[in-house]
């Protein structure tokens, strides 16, 4: 399974809720964790591999691998922070993105158990970034227009070489 990159329309579509956490879904989640590890990434969302379901996985070094199925963002802090983000679907692109500093999320795991998680720091950042993917939003959408245009122009130039 390949990771889709900018320009693929699926990255711009809203993912559908998971109706049943069955063996197929568990298999997909395992594959996503493998792909994530292989790509040395922090997070991967369903749409990034063309699976238009509301799922994402996060694995931050020193933490356990985390699986989110049908997640809802319940709360985001007023307090924001700037942090440099990258994305497996935007290889080579890094930019400072402003997001809430902490987040409260309600979700299900791959065993079908619901959980609520309060996160801050890199984990909160990753949850908000991956959740965006389920809505068809990429981190470059959260940059100023001038910055986004600069990045897109650079990508365009690279594509033509
Ligand atoms: Ni991403």
């Amino acid at each position: 399974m390949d990771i889709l990159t900018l320009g693929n329309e699926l990255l711009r579509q809203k993912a559908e809720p998971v109706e049943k956490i069955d063996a197929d879904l568990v298999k997909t989640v395992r594959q996503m964790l493998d792909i994530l590890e292989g790509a040395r990434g922090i997070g991967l969302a369903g749409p990034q591999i063309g699976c238009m379901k509301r799922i994402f996985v996060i694995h931050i070094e020193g933490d356990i691998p985390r699986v989110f199925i049908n997640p809802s963002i319940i709360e985001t802090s007023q307090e924001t922070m700037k942090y440099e983000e990258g994305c497996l679907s935007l290889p080579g692109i890094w930019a400072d993105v402003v997001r809430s500093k902490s987040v409260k999320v309600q979700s299900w795991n791959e065993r079908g158990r619901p959980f609520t998680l309060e996160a801050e720091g890199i984990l909160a950042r990753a949850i908000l970034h991956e959740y965006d993917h389920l809505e068809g939003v990429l981190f470059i959408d959260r940059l100023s227009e001038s910055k986004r245009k600069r990045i897109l122009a650079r990508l365009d130039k690279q594509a033509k070489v």
Side-chain angles (χ1 to χ4, degrees), residues 43 48 86-89 129-130 133 138-139:
Q48 290 182 277
C87 179
L88 293 173
S89 293
H129 176 118
E130 298 312 326
H133 277 298
L138 300 172
F139 82 84

Side-chain angles (χ1 to χ4, degrees), residues 37 45 48 56 60 73 84 99 110 116:
E37 197 182 326
Q48 290 182 277
F56 59 76
I60 294 165
I73 305 290
E84 191 177 60
R99 295 188 195 265
E110 75 282 14
T116 303

Side-chain angles (χ1 to χ4, degrees), residues 81-120:
M81 70 182 272
K82 212 190 251 180
Y83 193 87
E84 191 177 60
E85 291 188 26
C87 179
L88 293 173
S89 293
L90 294 148
I93 304 296
W94 299 88
D96 280 340
V97 183
V98 177
R99 295 188 195 265
S100 289
K101 208 173 173 181
S102 61
V103 62
K104 189 172 174 183
V105 60
Q106 196 274 320
S107 185
W108 279 264
N109 67 17
E110 75 282 14
R111 290 185 297 278
R113 294 208 186 102
F115 65 92
T116 303
L117 178 71
E118 284 181 65
E120 54 178 27

